[in-house]
Amino acid sequence: EGGEGVSVTQGVVSRIEIQRYAHSGANLLAVQIDAAINPGNSGGPALNAEGDVIGVAFQNQLDSQNIGYVIPAPIIAHYLIDDAPSDPRRPAGFPSLGIFWQALDNPQLRAYLGMEGRTGVRIRGVAPTAPAAALLRTGDVLVELDGHAIANDGSFAIGGQERLSFAHLIHLKFAHQTIGLRVLRAGEELELEVPVRPLQRLIPPTA
């Protein structure tokens, strides 16, 4: 448990990817570090070698040693300026496109879908409560999102060699904004502007 003094630990970044946040259950971008984050000393700033704050330490990996996670600055910035249209005192939450997708690593499946050298992921379902349900169809191939080409594993390129899940591009938007999509449908490319918003649950929470 944390004490009354200052606790300092250090490590290196080992991974940056979408992770499940233990406190909220949300799947958002997180930075994995090889430094211990123990109960009682989470919530502190994470600093880089130059002393800049790049995130907030918030959880560790159960049943492991020296694997901790940091909420990165873009996620924190989004939360701080986000507000619900109905109540500016509350955040609206991170939006979702509301789709379920399938990777297209299989060359036979790509040929069947007529991708002809393109990359992307197949939409295998759309949540009925999502605005995308009126625009997207099961079987569409998502080839581009917000100007970024989508790889067959659902990632997009950032920087020289790094890749992230395309879900992060959606999380950077705010409720009731739109995001540009390029999809392949029956051999024809379509450009769509699809609204994004936090998904509404079919069954409200009981808590």
Side-chain angles (χ1 to χ4, degrees), residues 156-202:
F156 71 98
I158 57 169
Q161 299 179 336
E162 303 299 325
R163 304 193 70 86
L164 287 176
S165 168
F166 73 81
H168 180 58
L169 295 172
I170 303 167
H171 296 155
L172 293 178
K173 298 290 183 179
F174 292 90
H176 306 297
Q177 287 186 332
T178 63
I179 191 166
L181 277 67
R182 186 187 296 271
V183 301
L184 182 66
R185 178 182 296 166
E188 179 184 359
E189 280 197 2
L190 304 175
E191 292 189 4
L192 305 171
E193 285 289 329
V194 179
V196 294
R197 71 181 185 198
L199 284 184
Q200 298 176 344
R201 299 182 181 182
L202 291 174

Coordinates of all heavy atoms in Angstrom, one line a residue, residues 156-202:
F156 N -3.4 1.0 -38.3 CA -2.9 2.1 -39.2 C -1.6 2.5 -38.8 O -1.1 2.3 -37.7 CB -3.9 3.2 -39.2 CG -3.9 4.0 -38.0 CD1 -3.2 5.2 -37.9 CD2 -4.7 3.6 -36.8 CE1 -3.2 6.0 -36.7 CE2 -4.7 4.4 -35.7 CZ -3.9 5.6 -35.6
A157 N -0.8 3.1 -39.7 CA 0.6 3.5 -39.5 C 0.6 4.9 -38.8 O -0.1 5.8 -39.1 CB 1.3 3.6 -40.8
I158 N 1.5 5.0 -37.8 CA 1.9 6.3 -37.2 C 3.4 6.3 -37.1 O 4.0 5.4 -36.8 CB 1.3 6.4 -35.8 CG1 1.7 5.3 -34.9 CG2 -0.2 6.5 -35.9 CD1 1.3 5.6 -33.4
G159 N 3.9 7.4 -37.5 CA 5.4 7.5 -37.5 C 6.0 6.6 -38.6 O 5.4 6.3 -39.6
G160 N 7.2 6.2 -38.3 CA 7.9 5.4 -39.3 C 7.5 3.9 -39.3 O 7.2 3.4 -40.3
Q161 N 7.6 3.3 -38.1 CA 7.4 1.9 -38.0 C 6.3 1.5 -37.1 O 6.0 0.3 -36.9 CB 8.7 1.2 -37.6 CG 9.8 1.4 -38.6 CD 11.1 0.7 -38.2 OE1 11.3 0.4 -37.0 NE2 11.9 0.4 -39.1
E162 N 5.7 2.4 -36.4 CA 4.7 2.1 -35.4 C 3.3 1.9 -36.0 O 3.0 2.6 -37.0 CB 4.6 3.1 -34.3 CG 6.0 3.3 -33.6 CD 6.5 2.1 -32.9 OE1 5.6 1.3 -32.4 OE2 7.7 1.9 -32.9
R163 N 2.4 1.1 -35.4 CA 1.1 0.9 -35.8 C 0.1 0.9 -34.6 O 0.5 0.4 -33.5 CB 0.9 -0.3 -36.6 CG 1.8 -0.4 -37.8 CD 1.4 -1.5 -38.8 NE 0.2 -1.2 -39.5 CZ 0.1 -0.5 -40.6 NH1 1.2 0.0 -41.2 NH2 -1.1 -0.3 -41.2
L164 N -1.1 1.4 -34.8 CA -2.1 1.3 -33.7 C -3.4 0.8 -34.3 O -3.6 0.9 -35.5 CB -2.4 2.7 -33.1 CG -1.3 3.3 -32.2 CD1 -1.7 4.7 -31.8 CD2 -1.1 2.5 -31.0
S165 N -4.3 0.3 -33.4 CA -5.6 -0.1 -33.9 C -6.4 1.1 -34.4 O -6.3 2.2 -33.8 CB -6.4 -0.8 -32.7 OG -7.7 -0.9 -33.0
F166 N -7.2 0.9 -35.4 CA -8.0 2.0 -36.0 C -9.0 2.5 -35.0 O -9.5 3.6 -35.1 CB -8.7 1.6 -37.3 CG -9.8 0.7 -37.2 CD1 -11.1 1.1 -36.8 CD2 -9.7 -0.7 -37.4 CE1 -12.2 0.2 -36.7 CE2 -10.7 -1.6 -37.3 CZ -12.0 -1.1 -37.0
A167 N -9.3 1.8 -33.9 CA -10.2 2.2 -32.9 C -9.8 3.5 -32.3 O -10.6 4.4 -31.9 CB -10.4 1.2 -31.8
H168 N -8.4 3.7 -32.2 CA -7.9 5.0 -31.6 C -8.3 6.2 -32.4 O -8.6 7.3 -31.8 CB -6.4 4.9 -31.5 CG -5.8 6.1 -30.9 ND1 -6.1 6.6 -29.6 CD2 -4.9 7.0 -31.4 CE1 -5.4 7.7 -29.3 NE2 -4.7 8.0 -30.4
L169 N -8.4 6.1 -33.7 CA -8.9 7.2 -34.5 C -10.3 7.6 -34.2 O -10.7 8.8 -34.2 CB -8.8 6.9 -36.0 CG -7.4 6.6 -36.6 CD1 -7.5 6.1 -38.0 CD2 -6.6 7.9 -36.5
I170 N -11.1 6.7 -33.8 CA -12.5 6.9 -33.4 C -12.6 7.5 -32.1 O -13.3 8.5 -31.8 CB -13.3 5.6 -33.5 CG1 -13.3 5.0 -34.9 CG2 -14.8 5.9 -33.1 CD1 -13.8 3.6 -35.0
H171 N -11.7 7.0 -31.2 CA -11.7 7.6 -29.8 C -11.3 9.0 -29.7 O -11.6 9.7 -28.8 CB -10.7 6.7 -28.9 CG -11.2 5.3 -28.8 ND1 -10.3 4.3 -28.5 CD2 -12.4 4.7 -28.9 CE1 -10.9 3.1 -28.4 NE2 -12.2 3.4 -28.7
L172 N -10.6 9.5 -30.7 CA -10.1 10.9 -30.7 C -11.3 11.8 -31.1 O -11.2 13.1 -30.9 CB -9.0 11.1 -31.7 CG -7.7 10.4 -31.3 CD1 -6.6 10.6 -32.4 CD2 -7.1 10.9 -30.0
K173 N -12.3 11.3 -31.6 CA -13.5 12.1 -32.0 C -14.4 12.4 -30.7 O -14.1 11.8 -29.7 CB -14.4 11.4 -33.0 CG -13.6 11.2 -34.4 CD -13.4 12.5 -35.1 CE -12.8 12.3 -36.5 NZ -12.6 13.5 -37.2
F174 N -15.4 13.3 -30.9 CA -16.3 13.6 -29.8 C -17.7 13.2 -30.2 O -18.0 13.1 -31.4 CB -16.2 15.1 -29.5 CG -14.9 15.5 -28.8 CD1 -13.8 15.9 -29.6 CD2 -14.7 15.4 -27.5 CE1 -12.6 16.2 -29.1 CE2 -13.5 15.7 -26.9 CZ -12.5 16.2 -27.7
A175 N -18.5 13.0 -29.2 CA -19.9 12.5 -29.5 C -20.6 13.4 -30.5 O -20.5 14.7 -30.4 CB -20.7 12.5 -28.2
H176 N -21.2 12.8 -31.5 CA -22.0 13.5 -32.5 C -21.2 14.2 -33.6 O -21.7 14.9 -34.4 CB -23.0 14.5 -31.9 CG -23.9 13.9 -30.9 ND1 -24.8 12.9 -31.2 CD2 -24.0 14.1 -29.5 CE1 -25.4 12.5 -30.1 NE2 -25.0 13.2 -29.1
Q177 N -19.9 13.9 -33.6 CA -19.0 14.3 -34.7 C -19.1 13.2 -35.7 O -19.7 12.1 -35.5 CB -17.6 14.5 -34.3 CG -17.3 15.8 -33.6 CD -15.8 16.0 -33.3 OE1 -15.0 15.1 -33.2 NE2 -15.4 17.3 -33.2
T178 N -18.6 13.4 -36.9 CA -18.6 12.3 -37.9 C -17.1 12.0 -38.3 O -16.2 12.7 -38.0 CB -19.3 12.8 -39.2 OG1 -18.6 13.9 -39.8 CG2 -20.7 13.2 -39.0
I179 N -17.0 10.8 -38.9 CA -15.6 10.4 -39.3 C -15.8 9.9 -40.7 O -16.8 9.2 -41.1 CB -15.1 9.3 -38.3 CG1 -13.6 9.0 -38.6 CG2 -15.9 8.0 -38.4 CD1 -12.9 8.2 -37.5
G180 N -14.8 10.2 -41.5 CA -14.8 9.8 -42.9 C -14.3 8.3 -43.1 O -13.3 7.9 -42.5
L181 N -15.1 7.6 -43.9 CA -14.8 6.2 -44.2 C -14.7 6.0 -45.7 O -15.5 6.6 -46.4 CB -15.8 5.2 -43.6 CG -15.8 4.8 -42.1 CD1 -16.1 6.0 -41.2 CD2 -16.8 3.7 -41.9
R182 N -13.8 5.1 -46.1 CA -13.9 4.6 -47.5 C -14.1 3.1 -47.3 O -13.3 2.4 -46.7 CB -12.6 4.9 -48.2 CG -12.6 4.5 -49.7 CD -11.2 4.6 -50.3 NE -10.8 6.0 -50.3 CZ -11.0 6.9 -51.3 NH1 -11.7 6.5 -52.4 NH2 -10.6 8.1 -51.2
V183 N -15.2 2.6 -47.9 CA -15.5 1.2 -47.9 C -15.6 0.6 -49.2 O -16.0 1.3 -50.2 CB -16.8 0.9 -47.1 CG1 -16.7 1.5 -45.6 CG2 -18.0 1.6 -47.8
L184 N -15.4 -0.7 -49.3 CA -15.6 -1.4 -50.5 C -16.8 -2.3 -50.4 O -17.0 -3.1 -49.5 CB -14.4 -2.4 -50.8 CG -14.4 -3.2 -52.1 CD1 -14.3 -2.3 -53.3 CD2 -13.2 -4.2 -52.0
R185 N -17.8 -2.0 -51.3 CA -19.1 -2.7 -51.2 C -19.4 -3.3 -52.6 O -19.6 -2.5 -53.5 CB -20.2 -1.8 -50.7 CG -21.6 -2.4 -50.7 CD -22.6 -1.4 -50.2 NE -22.4 -1.0 -48.9 CZ -23.0 0.1 -48.3 NH1 -23.8 0.8 -49.1 NH2 -22.7 0.5 -47.1
A186 N -19.5 -4.6 -52.7 CA -19.8 -5.3 -54.0 C -18.9 -4.8 -55.1 O -19.3 -4.6 -56.2 CB -21.2 -5.1 -54.3
G187 N -17.6 -4.6 -54.8 CA -16.6 -4.2 -55.8 C -16.5 -2.7 -56.0 O -15.7 -2.3 -56.8
E188 N -17.4 -1.9 -55.4 CA -17.4 -0.5 -55.6 C -16.9 0.2 -54.4 O -17.4 -0.1 -53.2 CB -18.8 -0.1 -56.0 CG -18.9 1.5 -56.2 CD -20.4 1.9 -56.5 OE1 -21.2 1.0 -56.6 OE2 -20.6 3.1 -56.7
E189 N -16.1 1.2 -54.5 CA -15.6 2.0 -53.4 C -16.6 3.1 -53.1 O -17.0 3.8 -54.0 CB -14.2 2.6 -53.6 CG -13.1 1.6 -53.4 CD -11.7 2.3 -53.3 OE1 -11.7 3.6 -53.3 OE2 -10.7 1.6 -53.1
L190 N -16.9 3.3 -51.8 CA -17.8 4.4 -51.4 C -17.2 5.2 -50.3 O -16.4 4.7 -49.5 CB -19.1 3.8 -50.8 CG -19.9 2.8 -51.7 CD1 -21.1 2.2 -50.9 CD2 -20.4 3.5 -52.9
E191 N -17.4 6.5 -50.4 CA -16.9 7.4 -49.3 C -18.1 7.9 -48.5 O -19.1 8.4 -49.0 CB -16.2 8.6 -49.9 CG -14.9 8.3 -50.6 CD -14.1 9.5 -51.0 OE1 -14.5 10.6 -50.7 OE2 -13.0 9.3 -51.7
L192 N -18.0 7.7 -47.2 CA -19.1 7.9 -46.3 C -18.7 8.8 -45.1 O -17.5 8.7 -44.7 CB -19.7 6.6 -45.7 CG -20.1 5.6 -46.7 CD1 -20.5 4.3 -46.0 CD2 -21.4 6.0 -47.5
E193 N -19.6 9.6 -44.6 CA -19.4 10.4 -43.4 C -20.3 9.8 -42.4 O -21.5 9.9 -42.5 CB -19.6 11.9 -43.6 CG -18.6 12.6 -44.3 CD -17.3 12.8 -43.5 OE1 -17.4 12.8 -42.3 OE2 -16.2 12.8 -44.1
V194 N -19.7 9.1 -41.4 CA -20.5 8.3 -40.5 C -20.5 9.0 -39.1 O -19.4 9.2 -38.5 CB -20.0 6.9 -40.4 CG1 -20.9 6.1 -39.4 CG2 -20.1 6.2 -41.8
P195 N -21.6 9.2 -38.5 CA -21.6 9.8 -37.1 C -21.1 8.8 -36.1 O -21.2 7.6 -36.2 CB -23.1 10.1 -36.8 CG -23.8 10.0 -38.1 CD -23.0 9.1 -39.0
V196 N -20.4 9.3 -35.1 CA -19.9 8.5 -34.0 C -20.5 9.0 -32.7 O -20.7 10.2 -32.5 CB -18.3 8.4 -33.9 CG1 -17.8 7.8 -35.2 CG2 -17.8 9.8 -33.8
R197 N -20.6 8.1 -31.7 CA -21.1 8.5 -30.4 C -20.9 7.3 -29.5 O -20.7 6.2 -29.9 CB -22.6 8.8 -30.5 CG -23.5 7.7 -30.7 CD -25.0 8.1 -30.7 NE -25.9 6.9 -30.8 CZ -27.2 7.0 -31.2 NH1 -27.7 8.2 -31.5 NH2 -27.9 5.9 -31.2
P198 N -20.9 7.6 -28.2 CA -20.8 6.4 -27.2 C -22.0 5.5 -27.4 O -23.1 6.0 -27.6 CB -20.9 7.1 -25.9 CG -20.4 8.5 -26.1 CD -20.9 8.9 -27.5
L199 N -21.7 4.2 -27.5 CA -22.8 3.3 -27.7 C -23.8 3.2 -26.5 O -23.4 3.3 -25.4 CB -22.2 1.9 -27.9 CG -21.6 1.6 -29.3 CD1 -21.2 0.1 -29.4 CD2 -22.6 1.9 -30.4
Q200 N -25.1 3.2 -26.9 CA -26.1 3.1 -25.9 C -26.4 1.6 -25.6 O -26.4 0.8 -26.5 CB -27.4 3.7 -26.3 CG -27.3 5.2 -26.6 CD -28.6 5.8 -27.1 OE1 -29.4 5.1 -27.6 NE2 -28.7 7.1 -27.1
R201 N -26.5 1.2 -24.3 CA -26.7 -0.1 -24.0 C -28.2 -0.5 -24.2 O -29.1 0.3 -23.9 CB -26.3 -0.4 -22.5 CG -24.9 -0.1 -22.2 CD -24.6 -0.5 -20.8 NE -23.2 -0.2 -20.5 CZ -22.6 -0.5 -19.3 NH1 -23.4 -1.0 -18.3 NH2 -21.4 -0.2 -19.0
L202 N -28.4 -1.7 -24.7 CA -29.8 -2.1 -24.9 C -30.4 -2.4 -23.5 O -31.6 -2.2 -23.3 CB -29.8 -3.4 -25.7 CG -29.5 -3.2 -27.2 CD1 -29.4 -4.6 -27.9 CD2 -30.5 -2.4 -27.9

